[in-house]
């Protein structure tokens, strides 16, 4: 049973943009809207790192490496979270994962979507 599913990855040239999407098809609105949502990434040979987060109350944080280039947003009515990525560079190449932290409950992870930045 898929709780979280990412999409939107692909191959993009340096300087380009991509929008990643994360859906929670099995989450009811009241649960999703009170969940904190996060995007992580894991590059080959590196540990998973937090890229961006948006709380249920709309508080947003970014890692220093993506601040000013990436934008996280959510649409509770659609149970969706987005990561708009701009001015991409080869160092952004990684598998990107979405997580949903339910208030007082479990954390769900998606399977990831691969982003490759290369000319």
């Amino acid at each position: 049973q898929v709780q979280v599913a990412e999409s939107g990855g692909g191959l993009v040239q340096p300087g380009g943009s991509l929008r990643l999407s994360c859906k929670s098809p099995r989450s009811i609105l009241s649960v999703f809207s009170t969940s904190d949502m996060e995007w992580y990434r894991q590059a080959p040979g590196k540990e998973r790192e937090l890229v961006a987060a948006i709380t249920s109350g709309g508080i947003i944080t970014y890692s220093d490496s993506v601040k000013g280039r990436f934008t996280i947003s959510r649409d509770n009515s659609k149970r969706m979270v987005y990561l708009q990525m701009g001015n991409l560079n080869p160092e952004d190449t990684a598998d990107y994962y979405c997580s949903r932290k339910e208030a007082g409950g479990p954390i769900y992870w998606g399977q990831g979507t691969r982003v490759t930045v290369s000319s």
Side-chain angles (χ1 to χ4, degrees), residues 10-37:
L11 174 65
V12 62
Q13 291 187 341
S17 300
L18 274 179
R19 188 177 81 156
L20 305 183
S21 299
C22 170
K23 64 179 180 180
S24 296
R26 303 187 64 84
S27 178
I28 61 175
L29 180 58
S30 60
V31 172
F32 184 85
S33 62
T34 56
S35 297
D36 295 339
M37 303 297 297

Side-chain angles (χ1 to χ4, degrees), residues 19-96:
R19 188 177 81 156
L20 305 183
S21 299
C22 170
K23 64 179 180 180
S24 296
R26 303 187 64 84
S27 178
I28 61 175
L29 180 58
S30 60
V31 172
F32 184 85
S33 62
T34 56
S35 297
D36 295 339
M37 303 297 297
E38 298 178 335
W39 283 99
Y40 288 77
R41 68 184 180 186
Q42 187 166 18
K46 295 187 177 181
E47 294 186 354
R48 191 172 294 191
E49 64 168 337
L50 178 64
V51 173
I54 182 167
T55 68
S56 59
I59 297 173
I60 292 173
T61 56
Y62 298 101
S63 67
D64 288 342
S65 61
V66 306
K67 197 173 296 183
R69 299 188 298 121
F70 291 12
T71 302
I72 189 172
S73 61
R74 64 190 295 162
D75 184 338
N76 290 340
S77 67
K78 297 181 179 178
R79 285 73 155 170
M80 296 288 292
V81 175
Y82 305 98
L83 186 67
Q84 180 68 47
M85 308 185 296
N87 194 20
L88 288 161
N89 58 66
E91 289 69 39
D92 296 314
T93 295
D95 291 324
Y96 284 71

